[in-house]
Structures are given as structure tokens and as C-alpha cells.
Amino acid sequence: MDKQKEIVKQFVSGENIHIAPLGAGHINDSYKVSIDGKEYVLQKINHAIFKNVPELQNNIIRVTSHIKAKLTEKGVTDIERRVLNLIPAKNGDFFYKDNEGNYWRLMDFIKDSKSFDNISPALAEKAGEAFGEFQNMLADMPGEPLYETIPDFHNMESRLKTFRKSVKDNLAGRLSKVQNLVDEIEKRAEEMCLPEKLHREGKLPKRTNHCDTKVNNVLFDAAGEEVLCVVDLDTVMPGYVLSDFGDFMRTGANNGEEDDLNLNNVSINLPIFEAYTKGYLKAAKKFLTEVEINNLALGAKLLTYMQTVRFLTDYLDGDIYYKIKSREHNLERSLAQFKLLQSMEENFSEMQDIVKKAAE
Ligand code: GN1
Ligand code: MG
């Protein structure tokens, strides 16, 4: 960890520096840092994916400053636990570029907090409210729209275009093995591009979204009872609310794991689906349009489908995007996501009823 120690010194000074790996992100590398007793999170930003780091960091500063102002207005006292706080490097930037061209950032570690990969309905409801409130707080952020840190990030038409090119190029020579899954994806392509069509027709707005509402991106207090804050702000940008709703369901309302090898474990957990929907709509009903509400359940299918496509694209490309733990990991992930999608399809009318009831 000598390299990381040198980087930390570009941000803060101190004597006793301890560094250990942290978390399970698929993109950036994270470390927990302790310096003379004070704790931080150090991250190496994957700049092959986030190509414009200064703009990325500028987004996060804008978002966190706006949230801080909102919390202050509300009289919240423990703001340092309610929103991420980036630490500037000694050169004044909110990132540091090392001599190998890698970008790093440092932020305060939020004390006495925890996140979950498996959540109870009671906590899912609180997480729903937190993400609804997150969108609500960002609705009146002044200035230009946020920079799109990854262009067309949740645009299904563009994801399919990339996927079809990967199928055609078959760079890793894996196509014959996954042809069935490719066919299943194509069968659903038109249905899954509906939000893009609705947007073009002026019927579905874009709002400031989190765009990575994985269940483990919500921090709870140490007792695991109350939400403290929403983390991982790399992809906060304009998008459809059904994306944020859907990505939570994809991760939080799955009875199995994202990459479960035992597909029998994988299915939609309707009590979690219901609880999150209730919490989300409690916070968001006041600003959502009818079209947005009517398409939330579709969002759960869409984000699961999108992730099936994204993992399979990376498998076809030869594993160049996501970190993998084993040779076939991207295919295993894609198959588990597809199984979850099928379960959502089987339960879709119930999912729609749940949304309808919670929106009344
Ligand atoms: C990536 O690294 P992580 O876990 O925060 C990805 C998300 C995917 C997710 C799949 C920038 O997020 O979009 O949904 O993996 N982030 C990026 O689990 O691609
Ligand atoms: Mg992320």
C-alpha cells in the first residue's frame, strides 16, 4: 500500500497511515484509510470508464453542495453523516492525478454506518423513501444540467446497438456458446426501448437521477435501522426515474445474488418490491407524472434486462469493462440477471398492481 500512502499525502498530512481494501464495486478501486485516528475513503477512479474526471468530480461537488444546503435549511445537525464530503487535494483540485495518469479522490468515511446486500422489507421502505427524497432534493439544483459522466448510460437503444456490434464482432470467440441468450435478448428488444420512444414523443421526462441505486449504495446507521445517506455519486445525471426505481429492485428485490450460480435461488422478492415502492412513492408521488408512475414496474424489468445485456456484451468483448472474479463470471452474471427478468415477467401484473395501489 506504499503507493496509496503517497497518494493520501497529496490530500492530507499525518504520521500513522493505515490503508486496507474496501467494498465490492465492479469499477473503481476503494480503500479505507486511517490517519492518526481520522478515517477516509480513498478511491482510484476508473478513467477508462469515467473519461472526464474533472467533470465527474465537478458533478459530485455540485450535487453534494446542493444537498448540504438543503439539509442545513431543514435544520439537520449531523450533516457530515448525511452526505458525502470530498476532501480537496493540496493543489486545490478535488482529485489528484498521479505520474502514471491515474486519478484519485479522497472523502470522509461515514462513521458507524453499514450497507446491506440483503435487506428486509422495513429497510427497503426506508431506502425507497431515501432515493425518492434524493431525487426531490436535486430537482431544483441551479445551473446547467449535470455532465453525462457516461454518455447514454441507461439508454437501452444505445446499449443494444453496442451489444449487436459485440455479437457481430465476436471478439472473444464466445458467441456460439451464448446464442440462445442472444436470441432471448432480441425477442424483448422492442418492449425494452419503450422509454426512449416515450421520451422522444415528449411523454417521459428526464430528471436528475442517481443511476446506480444498488441496494448497497444506501448507508444505514450502525444499528441498521435508519438511512444515513446515499453514496456512489459517479453516475448522478439526467435520466428516467424508472431507471432508479428499477435498479434498486434488480439488486434489492432479488432472492438470489447478482451472479448466483444456482438459478433456483434467483427470483423477484415481492414483499421487498412492495415495501420499496411504498417508501419511494411516499417521497416521490408529489412530483411524478402519471406516465412516470405507470412505467415504474417496467423499469424493474428494464434495468434487469439492461444488466443482462451489459454483462453479456462484456463477455462477448472478452471481459474488458467489469472486474471479474473468474473466467466465466460475466456469463454467470448475465444468466442470473436473465433468470431474474423471467421471474419479473411471470409476476409482472402483480408488480403493476403494487405500484398502482401505492400511488393511490
Ligand atoms: C457497476 O461498480 P458498481 O458496482 O458501483 C456499474 C453499474 C452496474 C453495476 C452492476 C459505472 O456499478 O452501472 O449496474 O456495476 N457502474 C458503472 O452491478 O458501469
Ligand atoms: Mg457504482
Side-chain angles (χ1 to χ4, degrees):
M1 296 284 165
D2 285 350
K3 166 91 194 177
Q4 286 81 347
K5 277 189 189 168
E6 285 315 304
I7 301 289
V8 167
K9 288 181 187 160
Q10 302 299 325
F11 291 84
V12 282
S13 304
E15 288 303 314
N16 303 303
I17 307 184
H18 296 280
I19 302 188
L22 176 75
H26 299 352
I27 309 287
N28 297 324
D29 294 336
S30 304
Y31 305 87
K32 183 166 174 184
V33 177
S34 146
I35 306 171
D36 299 329
K38 173 127 182 50
E39 293 174 319
Y40 302 92
V41 176
L42 174 71
Q43 284 186 311
K44 183 166 105 184
I45 303 168
N46 187 329
H47 67 273
I49 290 176
F50 295 107
K51 296 205 164 67
N52 190 333
V53 175
E55 288 286 5
L56 164 74
Q57 291 301 90
N58 187 41
N59 271 5
I60 299 182
I61 290 294
R62 285 182 61 195
V63 166
T64 53
S65 311
H66 189 69
I67 294 179
K68 276 178 206 169
K70 290 264 161 179
L71 295 175
T72 310
E73 227 173 75
K74 272 201 217 159
V76 172
T77 49
D78 57 345
I79 288 182
E80 67 290 348
R81 299 181 77 212
R82 302 286 170 174
V83 58
L84 288 179
N85 186 44
L86 286 175
I87 311 285
K90 288 174 182 170
N91 67 12
D93 293 335
F94 281 93
F95 58 87
Y96 176 76
K97 188 175 180 185
D98 69 17
N99 48 20
E100 290 161 27
N102 288 315
Y103 290 86
W104 301 79
R105 68 181 166 212
L106 191 74
M107 59 196 113
D108 283 328
F109 179 82
I110 298 188
K111 274 203 199 70
D112 302 323
S113 63
K114 58 160 121 173
S115 64
F116 296 91
D117 290 318
N118 298 301
I119 200 172
S120 66
L123 290 188
E125 186 172 341
K126 292 181 183 178
E129 221 179 320
F131 277 124
E133 188 48 31
F134 183 82
Q135 289 173 345
N136 190 29
M137 284 194 286
L138 293 180
D140 61 350
M141 194 172 62
E144 300 275 293
L146 288 171
Y147 176 79
E148 277 200 43
T149 53
I150 301 178
D152 293 321
F153 189 50
H154 280 178
N155 179 331
M156 198 59 238
E157 287 175 352
S158 121
R159 291 282 173 194
L160 279 168
K161 211 162 143 197
T162 309
F163 168 70
R164 286 171 181 147
K165 179 160 189 327
S166 299
V167 169
K168 188 162 155 269
D169 294 348
N170 191 17
L171 284 180
R174 288 165 156 174
L175 178 62
S176 59
K177 204 172 163 184
V178 298
Q179 189 61 55
N180 286 347
L181 189 50
V182 172
D183 296 344
E184 293 292 344
I185 286 170
E186 286 298 349
K187 264 190 228 165
R188 292 161 175 84
E190 198 184 328
E191 180 197 359
M192 296 301 166
C193 290
L194 178 70
E196 294 307 327
K197 188 168 159 270
L198 289 174
H199 180 65
R200 267 194 300 275
E201 292 168 355
K203 295 177 186 154
L204 185 68
K206 285 196 180 181
R207 301 181 189 274
T208 302
N209 260 16
H210 182 277
C211 290
D212 194 9
T213 52
K214 289 172 100 161
V215 55
N216 57 16
N217 278 335
V218 188
L219 292 190
F220 290 87
D221 61 4
E225 284 168 1
E226 295 305 325
V227 174
L228 289 176
C229 74
V230 163
V231 298
D232 190 355
L233 305 178
D234 290 332
T235 49
V236 178
M237 59 178 137
Y240 311 128
V241 295
L242 60 86
S243 279
D244 273 8
F245 179 86
D247 219 8
F248 184 92
M249 298 309 189
R250 179 184 77 76
T251 55
N254 180 357
N255 285 313
E257 303 300 323
E258 181 180 69
D259 57 353
D260 219 308
L261 286 174
N262 182 352
L263 296 182
N264 292 327
N265 291 340
V266 178
S267 57
I268 174 84
N269 181 319
L270 288 176
I272 300 275
F273 184 91
E274 182 167 17
Y276 184 88
T277 304
K278 230 169 113 188
Y280 175 63
L281 285 178
K282 204 192 291 173
K285 202 159 56 179
K286 53 181 180 277
F287 61 82
L288 295 181
T289 67
E290 204 180 324
V291 176
E292 284 177 303
I293 293 176
N294 291 344
N295 284 288
L296 289 176
L298 173 69
K301 284 203 289 188
L302 172 56
L303 270 284
T304 309
Y305 174 80
M306 192 182 296
Q307 207 56 62
T308 309
V309 172
R310 291 179 63 191
F311 285 142
L312 191 62
T313 302
D314 198 31
Y315 184 72
L316 288 166
D317 291 348
D319 312 312
I320 53 174
Y321 188 93
Y322 292 107
K323 295 187 207 168
I324 50 166
K325 291 188 183 144
S326 58
R327 236 183 71 88
E328 300 293 285
H329 200 183
N330 273 318
L331 177 57
E332 290 157 8
R333 286 163 162 160
S334 187
L335 288 169
Q337 293 294 294
F338 182 62
K339 174 69 204 306
L340 179 61
L341 173 64
Q342 288 175 305
S343 168
M344 289 177 177
E345 288 172 345
E346 282 157 22
N347 290 279
F348 194 57
S349 59
E350 201 154 347
M351 288 158 61
Q352 278 180 307
D353 287 347
I354 290 172
V355 173
K356 215 167 148 190
K357 208 173 121 221
E360 274 168 8

